[in-house]
Amino acid sequence: MLLLTLALMGAGLCLCAQQRVPLPKPFYRAAIRDVRFDEAGFLWFATTQGLWRYDGTSVQPFDLAPYGRSLATGAFSFFYYDGLLILADGTELLALDPHTRATWTYPVVALGAHFSIDRQNRLFFVGRKGQAFTFTRREGLREQFPWIRRSPIPRGDVQAYHLDTASGRVYLFSGTSVGIVERDTVRWQPLQLPKLPEPMTDVMQVLQTKHHFLVRYFNGYLLVDRRSLQVLEAFNGHQLGAVLRDGDQFLFFAQPGQENSVTPSSAWCRVAPPLAVESIRQNGQDLRHPQTGTHLIATDKGLFEWRPATKAGPAPPSFSAILRSFQGRSIRGIFRAAGKLYVGTYEGLFVCTDSVCRKITTMITYTIRRTGPNELLLGLEGGPGFATLDTRNDQITMFPFGSATVEPFCLEPMGDGFLAGGRKGLYTIRRSNDRWSCVPRRAPANCGYVRDLHQSDSGLYIATQTGLFLEDAQGVFRKVFPGQEHLMIHAVLPSERGLWLATQGRGLVLLGPGGKVLQEVGMDRGLAGQYVYSLQELDGFLVAGTNGGISVLNGQGEVEVLPTDVSGSDPLFEQEFNHSASYFDSTQDALLLGGVEGLYRLPRSALAHLSEQASAALRIAYVKKGGSGANVLAPDLFAGRSPELVVRPSESYIGIKVGTTVDAGRRTALFRLKERSAAWQPFSLSQDIGFYGLPPGTYTLQVRFSDQVREAQWLQHRIEVKPAFHQTWWFQAALLLLVAGIGYAFWREKVAKMKREQQLRTTIASDLHDEIGSALTRISISSELLSMQPDSPARPVMERISTDSKKAIASISDIIWSIDARNDTGEDLLLRMKEHALNLLDRERFDLSFQASGMEATGTVPQAMRQNLYLIFKEAVNNIARHNAGGAVRIELENGANGFRLSLRNELRPPEGKATAHKGQGLRNMDMRARRIRGRLRARTADNWFSIELEMPRL
């Protein structure tokens, strides 16, 4: 990048800095036809090959194909308005909406690249034949002032125009005539030119300041007074390359080698150092950067940037001498009038002209206000308290009344006079018939000193020794801050956010509606001192004079770090500023602050540096999205305008390019996805920030430069990754419902099957009981009847049949009980066990003890488990009855949290002549049945007792 930093002071030359905008090849030295900034601050420029956008590191083309259009190579211009791209190619006007791809086409020819915004925020332009048009999204294109094109135009067509947005007046330029558009006519007025070597015919550019027009022709320029349309200066020649507007002045760039030929005589014109190009476009466009205010100049050899020197240079030698004269003096008040600087100190009031300062009174001057063209009102410590000063001869006239106890610290214009606040309260100062009067005014009770006054729509704010008070329209005082406490308030300054207070001990306090504290800024947040004595607003910054030096705060109340050439070059920067002495000196273009050790000059350019640094924010330049199969992804240049970036399921990759044209020298930055990582990752601004396969969800992309520590300066943009259909909540809910439905269907089928089985078992049990049971009963009864015949030879057989049938009845009864589904409960099982034990172990032979616990809480017991458990119990009881003549029998059932336990213990008393048997088929059968129900069976003999224990899971 070619950087030409020139500090050229002298006749007709300006203090400025020039540099070539570092467009990448092949645009570095290309012929730039038109240039604009969009809403994000990115630079758009036109060449003969098309329309392009520069984001600080790369250039991207703008493709009109999606809109069904194409750009004709050659002359075309463009403009940004209300999110629309306005294109004019000499035959028609085209408005494009990059978001919806909507288009508006009108067969209208606009004047070059000249578009304006009128007072109704409409796009305004003028055609060659004098047609004036406005355009909005809602109204479309509308013609304004139709009588213009019906009026004769001096040279046949309009060559340039100017819209005064303040008044709504339109000026038309044709040759050397100016047309003023009035209500229903156009009034053309010829310009009175001096005699020139060449006639000026074709207007190519019109620039304007508050007081002047600069009408530029192909062969010179005219400087015209806007009010009278009088030509103040004329220049004839082809040496002029480009013209810029810089404040209230015009800045001239001469063609290379012609620097000495452009010599404007007016104080409203200056000559800039030449650009490092072989030629400058005669119709080169001048554009200001929307954030930094620097100028861009389109030339045939690239794009150039021009700005006033932002480095805070030292004060001019004459003013430096003034500053030195006040070193070691405590400053009380500052004011400039009639080209002279008045400085009140503890030693008296001084007046300074050029580099000489002289004392004009020994009275200490706290505050100074203008009362007339040649008169100042002084607030004094001591004497009558007030005096007037004639700026023509610096003569001071004391008030013939008053008191030394007044000591006015502040003067606020009020009606036809002033309201003064001092050591003893409030005073009204008025002049009538050239005589001044000073009348005490009611003040808040026990307020002490009055340090500052501010009149607002809510009433009069009074900063006092005990706090801030508000006097409403009815004259009622109310304490606003700080409640019941006492706190000295030195200064009050309104802002867009609220009311800033300079306090003695609490730093800066921002009050909102109702006196609510919105923010406090103290030394813990970078303030130079907790005692703040002066406040001044300048270019959106808050300058505070404290007991520890000067602090500069931005609009959010954050302390800014000034350049070292400002904060470190003068020891007075850190002196104690213990008085409300602050004044903006337009002559020096600097803020003057008075402290206990002298007068300090804070140049405005230092704050301009802060403005540029704050505006160096990153923006999304373009977004690329695509799937795994995509090879070349087309960038979306307008994706950053949406509040969030949406990634669809088919787009597994998203690449985000960020950039800034505020500080194109920066090449690296930091980024992170807030929801995925707290760590910052470095990246190059020339590369995309790429993400592959982000899980569905909402993320916050944060991007910043390494020196941007405040979150307000970061780029923050939401990224919403849409889930695929199988990742959506509704799909997962539907899948869950499907699984639950299938499970429920299986459960219903299982329940139905169990019901069918239970019904079948109940039916079988009923049939067995009714048919087979009754048949066996009839056989048993018949055999018993036959066996009762004493002489019957079949009697033994009948007795055996009767016995077998009774056994069969008992066996079939057990089978029926086990099959019947109505017995599938633990309680039925317990009753069956008790019944069997009591029937078989008669009380005459056996001492039976039957204990059970936990069986009443048992629900349904599976049929197989119930059957095997009962058969084990039955076999054990049968063995006791068969192999013992009697004795004690202990039966215990326990169904608890640790499982189910069945214990049968009997005292060994075998029948006479028989041995006790502890082994046989019965124990093996019981062990087999126990394994079927996941149980464990143990049998043992000890101390003449035989026991069987079964352990299994809880029923």
Side-chain angles (χ1 to χ4, degrees), residues 646-664:
V646 178
V647 182
R648 306 191 181 283
S650 59
E651 299 166 339
S652 58
Y653 169 79
I654 177 172
I656 303 171
K657 175 72 163 59
V658 300
T660 178
T661 58
V662 174
D663 189 355

Side-chain angles (χ1 to χ4, degrees), residues 802-878:
S802 176
T803 302
D804 291 341
S805 62
K806 289 180 180 179
K807 291 181 179 179
I809 290 172
S811 298
I812 201 66
S813 176
D814 291 340
I815 293 173
I816 291 171
W817 176 84
S818 63
I819 293 175
D820 195 343
R822 292 170 293 184
N823 299 321
D824 287 349
T825 64
E827 191 172 356
D828 290 327
L829 176 61
L830 180 61
L831 292 175
R832 186 71 176 179
M833 288 179 171
K834 283 185 177 182
E835 180 183 0
H836 181 71
L838 293 174
N839 289 338
L840 204 59
L841 303 174
D842 58 89
R843 294 183 179 275
E844 294 182 358
R845 293 191 301 152
F846 295 96
D847 178 14
L848 177 62
S849 172
F850 197 107
Q851 296 181 357
S853 64
M855 296 298 290
E856 66 279 354
T858 305
T860 301
V861 181
Q863 186 266 338
M865 181 178 291
R866 180 169 58 85
Q867 181 181 16
N868 283 285
L869 189 58
Y870 174 70
L871 292 178
I872 291 172
F873 176 81
K874 180 179 177 182
E875 181 67 22
V877 173
N878 289 345

Side-chain angles (χ1 to χ4, degrees), residues 916-946:
T916 302
H918 302 302
K919 295 181 181 179
Q921 187 65 31
L923 285 176
R924 285 194 292 271
N925 289 340
M926 286 191 288
D927 184 64
M928 177 189 66
R929 294 184 186 279
R931 288 196 298 272
R932 287 178 181 174
I933 57 178
R934 296 182 302 161
R936 185 177 61 177
L937 186 72
R938 293 196 302 268
R940 64 175 180 268
T941 303
D943 298 331
N944 203 35
W945 283 79
F946 179 72

Side-chain angles (χ1 to χ4, degrees), residues 17-33:
Q18 302 171 6
Q19 66 181 29
R20 185 187 292 271
V21 177
L23 300 175
K25 293 181 179 180
F27 305 100
Y28 188 67
R29 293 181 178 272
I32 308 298
R33 307 192 63 86

Side-chain angles (χ1 to χ4, degrees), residues 155-286:
R155 291 192 56 82
D157 58 0
V158 176
Q159 298 167 341
Y161 81 93
H162 168 67
L163 172 65
D164 187 346
T165 55
S167 64
R169 179 175 293 179
V170 179
Y171 296 85
L172 306 177
F173 295 85
S174 179
T176 56
S177 297
V178 180
I180 303 173
V181 180
E182 297 178 340
R183 292 186 176 181
D184 54 359
T185 186
V186 180
R187 178 170 55 88
W188 288 95
Q189 177 176 332
L191 298 175
Q192 301 299 321
L193 276 67
K195 186 176 181 180
L196 298 172
E198 298 180 21
M200 294 185 179
T201 56
D202 296 323
V203 180
M204 55 172 289
Q205 187 182 19
V206 175
L207 298 177
Q208 74 287 335
T209 63
K210 185 177 180 180
H211 303 287
H212 302 94
F213 286 124
L214 187 109
V215 186
R216 186 180 173 200
Y217 299 83
F218 280 99
N219 59 341
Y221 69 85
L222 299 177
L223 181 66
V224 180
D225 182 85
R226 286 184 60 170
R227 178 174 297 181
S228 64
L229 295 182
Q230 179 184 355
V231 177
L232 303 180
E233 182 176 322
F235 175 81
N236 206 198
H238 298 271
Q239 298 89 349
L240 190 60
V243 181
L244 306 181
R245 185 189 65 197
D246 183 37
D248 289 335
Q249 292 182 313
F250 298 105
L251 186 68
F252 294 157
F253 290 85
Q255 292 285 1
Q258 302 292 329
E259 295 83 5
N260 296 327
S261 300
V262 181
T263 57
S265 59
S266 172
W268 302 106
C269 302
R270 295 180 298 165
V271 178
L275 296 174
V277 294
E278 297 176 1
S279 64
I280 300 176
R281 289 176 51 82
Q282 287 271 328
N283 58 345
Q285 295 300 313
D286 166 33

